[in-house]
Amino acid sequence: MFNSLFKFTQNKLNILYENSLFLQILDKLIFASIILVFLASTCLSSDAIGFIALITTFLTVLQLLTKPGDKCEPVKFELWLLAYFMVVVISLAGSSLFALSLKGFLKTVTYLVFYISVVHYLKHNVNKIPYILAAIGICVSFESIMGIMQNFAQVDEISTWQDVSNLNPEEVMTRVYGTLQPYNPNLLGGYFVAGIPSLFGLCAYLFSEKHYKVGFVSLGLALISVLTLFLTGCRGSYIGCMVILAGLFLVAAKFLWHKYKKVLLSVLGSCVAFALCAILFVSSLRARVFSIFAMRQDSSNSFRFNVYQSSIQMFKDNWLLGIGVGNKNFREIYGLYMRTGFDALSAYNIFLETAVESGIFALIAFLGFLFVMLKDGISFIVKSDKVRDVIFVAVPVISICAVMVHGLVDTVFFRPQIQFIFWTMVAIISAVLQNQNNKVEG
C-alpha cells in the first residue's frame, strides 16, 4: 500500500526531483543527521536527541515521496516488529492513564521511525556501515576518556549508587558516569555494552582491508573502553561485557581457528587471567563483583527483588494489555503496588517491563522479533564466507545479545542513548540481509 503511494507521488514529482539540488542530496543529509544523533547522544537531553532523530525521519519520508524507484521492503523479523507495534497501539488505547501513556508511545514511535530511516538508508548504502560504526565508536571512545578522567578526579556520587554499609573505605569504588544525561553509571555501562562491539568490529574491518595503523588505534580505543566499562561499577554491564568477549571469540574462531588456534586460545587465556587478577588485586572491583552474589545482603540487589515482586503482581493484574507505555505511566501505577520505601521508575528487567507496559502479546511479539532476527543473523554469520559482511552482521548480533543480557537486571535500555544504537544495530542486520536476498534473487 505504502509503495503504491510512493510510486504515485514519485511520478507526479519527478520533474521537481530532477531539478532540485536539495532533493538530490537527501542521501547525504540523511547520513549526516544519523551521525548527528549519535554525537548528540553524548551531551544533549533526550528531547534534543529525539528531535534530531525526527529530522532524519522527515528527510527519509521526503526521499521516499520524491526519488524515483524508492520503496520499502521489509524482512521477516520486521513482521514481528509490526505485530509488537500494533499491540502497543491497542495497549495505549486501553490505558487508564492515556495522557501519560501517550508520551511513552510517542517515544516508541520516534525510535521505530528512526529505525526505518536507517534501514532505508543503509540498504542503498551498505558501504557506509563502517562510517556508522566509526561514529558510534568515536562517541564510545569519548565517553571512555571522560570516564577515566572522572576516575582520576574521584568524582562524588550524585545519588546512592552502591551499598557501602559493609565496605571498608578502600573497597568503595569511584563510579564514573561520563557525560550522558541523566548522569548515571548504569546508563554509561549500558552505553558501553551497546557500543563497544562497534569498536572491535571496526578494528576487524580495518585489518581485513589492510589498514593496520588505524586498526590498531581502534583496538586500543576498544580496550580502553572495556577498562572504563569496569570503572562504571555497573554489574549488569560486567555480564554484558562477558557476552561481548565470548561473541568476539566465536566469530574470530570461524576464520582463524584452523591456522591460529594457539593464538586464539592464548588471547582467551590472557583475558581470563587479566580479569581474575583484576578481581583478586583491586579491592573495590572485587567487592563490586562479589556483591552480585550477595543476594538480599546487598541493598541494591534487595531493592531489585522487591521491584520484581511488585512488577510481577502488576503484570498479573494487567496481563492482557498492560498499563500503557512509558516510565511516567509505570511510576504512577507502581505506587499502588510498591513496598514502602522502594519507589522505582521501571521494572529493572526489559522483558518484565515490556509485559507490564503492553501485556503478554507485546512480550511474545518482542521475543519473536528478537528470536527471528538473531536466528537469521547467526545463520548468516555461520554460512557466509565473506569477511566484510560477516563483520557487519556479527557486530550488531553481539551488541544486541549483550544489551539483552544486561537488560535482565536493568532498564537503561529504554534511554535514548542506548535505544538509538540498538535500533541502528537492528537496521544494519536488516540492510545486509536485504542486500544478500536481492543478490540471490538477482
Side-chain angles (χ1 to χ4, degrees), residues 359-377:
I360 185 65
F361 295 109
L363 177 62
I364 292 172
F366 185 68
L367 290 174
F369 154 69
L370 287 174
F371 175 78
V372 176
M373 174 186 60
L374 292 175
K375 178 181 72 67
D376 290 349

Side-chain angles (χ1 to χ4, degrees), residues 377 380-381 389-398 428-429 432-433:
F380 180 86
I381 293 169
D389 288 348
V390 168
I391 292 171
F392 288 168
V393 175
V395 169
V397 166
I398 293 171
I428 291 173
I429 295 176
V432 175
L433 293 182

Side-chain angles (χ1 to χ4, degrees), residues 211-226:
H211 301 307
Y212 298 115
K213 291 183 180 179
V214 187
F216 277 115
V217 171
S218 179
L219 178 60
L221 292 172
L223 295 176
I224 291 172
S225 299
V226 171

Side-chain angles (χ1 to χ4, degrees), residues 160-180:
T160 306
W161 286 337
Q162 58 186 319
D163 184 358
V164 299
S165 57
N166 297 316
L167 299 179
N168 295 323
E170 68 274 8
E171 294 177 327
V172 177
M173 174 178 283
T174 299
R175 299 188 63 187
V176 303
Y177 48 83
T179 65
L180 306 182

Side-chain angles (χ1 to χ4, degrees), residues 322-372:
I323 62 173
V325 184
N327 65 308
K328 292 183 178 179
N329 196 51
F330 178 94
R331 189 169 189 179
E332 288 293 325
I333 303 295
Y334 181 80
L336 304 174
Y337 292 85
M338 73 175 185
R339 296 189 176 190
T340 304
F342 290 94
D343 190 14
L345 297 174
S346 63
Y348 286 90
N349 179 296
I350 59 177
F351 304 106
L352 181 56
E353 180 90 11
T354 301
V356 168
E357 290 186 352
S358 304
I360 185 65
F361 295 109
L363 177 62
I364 292 172
F366 185 68
L367 290 174
F369 154 69
L370 287 174
F371 175 78
V372 176

Side-chain angles (χ1 to χ4, degrees), residues 128-146:
K128 296 296 185 182
I129 292 178
Y131 297 96
I132 299 290
L133 297 180
I136 297 172
I138 289 170
C139 294
V140 169
S141 301
F142 169 75
E143 290 299 331
S144 68
I145 293 171
M146 291 300 299

